[in-house]
Amino acid sequence: TGKCYHTFRGHSAEIVCLSFNPQSTLLATGSMDTTAKLWDLEKGEEVATLSGHSAEIIALSFNTTGDRIITGSFDHTVAVWDVGTGREQNILIEMLKNNDVVAKYELKQSSAPCWSVQLWNAVTGTHLATLAGHRKEVLDVCFDYAGQRIATASADGSARVYNAETKQCIAKLEGHEDEISKVS
């Protein structure tokens, strides 16, 4: 119908990212004001404010079970939050997400610079793999809800899909004339 059910207000700066909880009616928003907020879509109200980053939040995502949210910030940290309490559980330095696996965008220096994504175990901090192949900066990365695939978006105008277990590229999606800034 195109009807607006709720308008959420509360951030003091632009909202730059959002994520729907796969297991509930919660919506998370990340803002240039350094906070993330949890909103109840059915009630139309704020549930929690997640404060702790010292710079803008530029990425966030719920885990597959919906009980944790991960926020990435320009302060070069990623925080893991408990959705039920809104409390920070852990800070991961310079990393990004999924259950026990975290992805980090990183410029890999070699004979010619190429952009890659680093996969880490979020519990042990162990490096798991490097996903390479893009010709320019990786702008976004996400896991599917089952944790079986990883998608990347790049300034080179392509997206790639990797098998999360084998770490192999299973699809290269091309056709955009300019950068791809988000992938889901």
Side-chain angles (χ1 to χ4, degrees):
T1 65
K3 178 183 175 189
C4 177
Y5 287 98
H6 303 290
T7 300
F8 299 104
R9 289 180 172 54
H11 284 291
S12 61
E14 297 89 349
I15 295 169
V16 295
C17 52
L18 63 86
S19 180
F20 291 94
N21 189 317
Q23 304 298 331
S24 74
T25 61
L26 290 180
L27 169 73
T29 55
S31 173
M32 300 295 277
D33 67 8
T34 75
T35 68
K37 290 185 179 287
L38 299 178
W39 309 89
D40 186 307
L41 293 172
E42 288 183 349
K43 296 178 182 175
E45 60 189 34
E46 182 180 327
V47 174
T49 297
L50 312 178
S51 298
H53 285 291
S54 61
E56 299 89 339
I57 293 175
I58 57 168
L60 55 77
S61 183
F62 287 96
N63 65 351
T64 56
T65 56
D67 62 342
R68 303 282 182 272
I69 187 165
I70 294 104
T71 56
S73 171
F74 273 142
D75 67 9
H76 304 288
T77 66
V78 167
V80 180
W81 308 83
D82 181 280
V83 170
T85 65
R87 291 192 176 155
E88 187 175 331
Q89 293 193 313
N90 192 9
I91 294 182
L92 304 169
I93 303 301
E94 298 181 355
M95 296 182 187
L96 268 174
K97 86 161 224 158
N98 187 42
N99 283 348
D100 291 342
V101 178
V102 174
K104 174 187 171 188
Y105 310 68
E106 178 176 274
L107 176 61
K108 181 180 177 185
Q109 294 296 331
S110 61
S111 57
C114 66
W115 285 92
S116 63
V117 173
Q118 303 296 318
L119 297 180
W120 302 83
N121 181 303
V123 176
T124 66
T126 306
H127 181 263
L128 300 175
T130 299
L131 307 180
H134 285 292
R135 296 180 316 275
K136 291 186 179 177
E137 179 181 7
V138 174
L139 300 174
D140 195 26
V141 61
C142 74
F143 289 82
D144 69 355
Y145 285 126
Q148 297 176 348
R149 292 183 182 84
I150 304 163
T152 60
S154 172
D156 68 11
S158 73
R160 292 177 181 255
V161 180
Y162 297 84
N163 179 302
E165 185 176 334
T166 67
K167 316 305 186 267
Q168 298 298 310
C169 181
I170 57 175
K172 185 175 178 183
L173 310 173
E174 298 180 299
H176 287 279
E177 294 180 13
D178 206 347
E179 70 183 29
I180 301 172
S181 59
K182 296 299 285 180
V183 67
S184 178

